[in-house]
Every structure is written in structure tokens, then in C-alpha cells.
Amino acid sequence: MDVGCPKSCGMTVPKHEMSKHNGVVKLRELVMQQRQEVLKMKEALAGQQQRMSYYCRKLEMLQHYITGLTYTNSVVGNIGDQLDRYSLTQWRNGLRLAHITNCASIISTPDIFLHMRIRDGLGASNCPWHFITKIAERCNEDRWPEGLANLENRRENHQSLVLYVLRSLPITMTAKSCVVMLGCDNRHMPENLRPGIGMAIIFDEAMA
């Protein structure tokens, strides 16, 4: 019959072995065993991440190749569009949703330092490489849709801004926040507020 350890180690052992039971030693063995299991899981996860990165690079190379063929073959072009949508969807699903809390804190003309932080953040988040430049270059209001292109228009469309689906983009070396606004997330928006393939917005405060 198994009984609980009277020394409160939390373990149960056969009653006839209780006199030889050392809770500290058993717990240490259990901790070591679990530590080894955690290490094995980390190694397996690292291996999976390496394989995922390898296949992502292969996919991006294929997309680059297909892009070159798109101009001469409409069928290949359709395949390229499907791959683009797939890779963009896979990336965006890994980004946390965000919400605009203060439109007045939008930095509509970020300097080169913030521009580079956006580009670095896109790369670090595994954004498909052929989208990094397209999104990073659209971080300035002169590249935004008409409804966001200046302060007056943003104020006029203030009520509509909360309808955007935004994704938080972690950026380093700055206390500011950044979001990406993707076209595939915002097809419900009016034409003058749609972000095209995607754009980035820097805020001078933390996002919700």
C-alpha cells in the first residue's frame, strides 16, 4: 500500500519502503529528470525552428523566382499571388493585435532612425523579405491612403480609425510603439482608408 510522506515532500511511496525514503533526494532526482526533459524539448523546438526557417527561405526563393516569371506567364503570376497571400497570412498570424488609443500620438514623418527600427522590426518578426521594403517605405504620411495623408484628414476620419485591424510590431532601441496595417486585414475599410498591401505607423506612446 502506498502512503504519503510524513515529511510533506508530496510524494507517495510503498509503506514498506518508507523507512528508506529520502524526500530531498527523490525531489532532486525528479527535478533533474524534468530538467533533462525540458532541455530535450528545447532542442527539439530549436530543430523545428531551424527547419521552419529553412523552408521559409526556400519558399521565399521560390516566390522570387515566380515573380520573375509573372511578367510573361499569367498562370505563374496567379501562383505567385497565392504564395504571397499565404506567406503574408502566416506572418501576420504571429503578430499581436493592437488598437489605436490616441491618434494625436501618431508620428506621421518618422526620421531615418525610426525608419530603420521599423525595417529591423519587420525582419526580426520574420516578415517575408519581399514585403519588408514595401511596408517599411510606407511609414510616412505621404505614402499613406488619402484619408490618413495629413492631420486634417486624420481628424476628419477619427471615428473610422478605430475600425482598423492593426498588428503590433515590436521595435528595439526606442520607447515608441509601432503597428502594421495590412490590406488583407482591412478590406472592410472605405477606399480612401485602405492601406494597400501594407503600411507601418509609429506612435509616440505605448499601444493598448
Side-chain angles (χ1 to χ4, degrees):
M1 182 179 68
D2 291 345
V3 295
C5 176
K7 297 181 180 179
S8 302
C9 75
M11 301 185 70
T12 57
V13 295
K15 186 175 182 180
H16 67 276
E17 295 181 4
M18 183 59 69
S19 60
K20 300 178 182 179
H21 173 65
N22 186 324
V24 174
V25 172
K26 291 295 183 181
L27 286 173
R28 184 180 294 118
E29 291 175 351
L30 181 60
V31 169
M32 292 300 296
Q33 179 183 351
Q34 291 180 337
R35 181 178 296 173
Q36 291 299 319
E37 291 177 357
V38 169
L39 289 175
K40 289 180 181 179
M41 292 175 63
K42 286 183 176 180
E43 291 175 356
L45 179 60
Q48 290 178 352
Q49 289 175 334
Q50 288 180 348
R51 287 192 292 273
M52 181 66 73
S53 296
Y54 171 79
Y55 290 125
C56 284
R57 289 195 299 271
K58 287 290 186 181
L59 177 60
E60 289 178 355
M61 290 174 63
L62 178 60
Q63 289 172 320
H64 184 68
Y65 177 70
I66 290 176
T67 298
L69 297 177
T70 298
Y71 300 104
T72 57
N73 190 312
S74 60
V75 175
V76 174
N78 291 333
I79 295 175
D81 290 341
Q82 292 176 21
L83 287 173
D84 279 349
R85 287 194 294 270
Y86 173 78
S87 61
L88 196 61
T89 299
Q90 291 295 102
W91 169 63
R92 73 166 184 182
N93 288 343
L95 300 178
R96 181 175 59 86
L97 288 172
H99 304 280
I100 294 179
T101 56
N102 183 7
C103 296
S105 68
I106 291 177
I107 300 177
S108 58
T109 54
D111 58 23
I112 187 63
F113 173 79
L114 291 178
H115 187 184
M116 293 307 299
R117 298 287 72 74
I118 293 173
R119 184 177 290 274
D120 290 344
L122 290 168
S125 66
N126 294 318
C127 175
W129 67 269
H130 53 295
F131 287 115
I132 291 179
T133 297
K134 293 178 181 179
I135 295 175
E137 287 183 345
R138 303 191 73 222
C139 65
N140 193 297
E141 67 177 12
D142 62 3
R143 301 292 302 277
W144 292 350
E146 180 184 356
L148 302 176
N150 54 60
L151 182 58
E152 181 180 351
N153 288 2
R154 289 194 290 276
R155 286 175 175 170
E156 182 179 338
N157 293 294
H158 175 76
Q159 297 298 324
S160 298
L161 299 186
V162 297
L163 301 178
Y164 275 118
V165 176
L166 306 174
R167 309 274 174 175
S168 179
L169 181 69
I171 54 177
T172 60
M173 300 175 64
T174 175
K176 302 182 185 342
S177 301
C178 182
V179 299
V180 288
M181 184 189 296
L182 302 174
C184 55
D185 279 334
N186 292 284
R187 296 189 181 96
H188 61 283
M189 296 299 289
E191 186 69 30
N192 69 327
L193 291 174
R194 290 179 190 170
I197 193 168
M199 53 182 272
I201 301 179
I202 289 274
F203 290 82
D204 202 20
E205 61 179 26
M207 296 293 297

